[in-house]
Amino acid sequence: MATHILVPVDGSEQSIEALRFAATEWPQAKLTLLNVINPSTAKYTDSAFSGSEEWYQKQKRKATETFATVKAETSLVDTDRDISTRIAVGKPAKTVVEVLEEDSYDHVVLGSHGRTGVTRVILGSVAEEIVRRAPVPVTVVR
């Protein structure tokens, strides 16, 4: 039975469903919500003209807002549920795996956009890479 579950969240409906599933399936487990700030999404104007520190602080604020949104969407805002949050920086799949290796998680639950064909080839699959590289069991929610 899972006791500490990592749930990567980006505010998408898929990540909200993943959190909802984890909270329902493992009602006694501690949940840690992870938001990964991906520097490659920064526009040239964001990093070159306004300063990378300012961009990073803006992304941290967005991550905090995302945590509040997904908790509200899953009705976990005012519960006594043990939910912590974590912000990390890097490529999403690689960073999720690194976080799993660093801490005492025993499961990861994540959402998938379910892309197929050319879209999947061009955009890649974060969920697939996590499934292949994760040191713990993975549940993918679509």
Side-chain angles (χ1 to χ4, degrees):
M1 175 174 222
T3 59
H4 192 184
I5 301 170
L6 183 68
V7 184
V9 295
D10 61 5
S12 67
E13 187 57 39
Q14 291 83 1
S15 68
I16 291 169
E17 284 303 315
L19 176 57
R20 192 174 284 131
F21 180 84
T24 303
E25 192 70 21
W26 295 278
Q28 304 302 318
K30 176 181 179 179
L31 302 175
T32 297
L33 308 182
L34 172 68
N35 185 272
V36 178
I37 297 172
N38 187 352
S40 69
T41 62
K43 297 176 187 170
Y44 175 75
T45 54
D46 289 336
S47 59
F49 297 114
S50 62
S52 59
E53 183 61 28
E54 185 178 320
W55 177 84
Y56 176 67
Q57 292 304 322
K58 180 180 175 183
Q59 298 307 307
K60 281 177 57 175
R61 285 191 298 277
K62 282 184 178 179
T64 302
E65 291 169 7
T66 297
F67 294 141
T69 300
V70 297
K71 286 180 184 178
E73 289 287 327
T74 54
S75 303
L76 294 172
V77 173
D78 296 322
T79 65
D80 291 334
R81 185 72 188 254
D82 190 4
I83 301 174
S84 59
T85 60
R86 181 170 178 175
I87 299 171
V89 178
K91 292 182 177 181
K94 183 180 182 206
T95 303
V96 169
V97 171
E98 288 170 354
V99 167
L100 286 167
E101 291 170 342
E102 289 171 7
D103 228 326
S104 61
Y105 302 102
D106 50 21
H107 203 99
V108 60
V109 177
L110 57 124
S112 174
H113 293 279
R115 293 185 178 103
T116 59
V118 175
T119 322
R120 183 172 169 270
V121 171
I122 293 170
L123 298 175
S125 174
V126 172
E128 181 181 0
E129 188 174 341
I130 293 169
V131 167
R132 289 176 187 238
R133 296 181 56 213
V136 299
V138 179
T139 300
V140 179
V141 178
R142 276 189 17 173

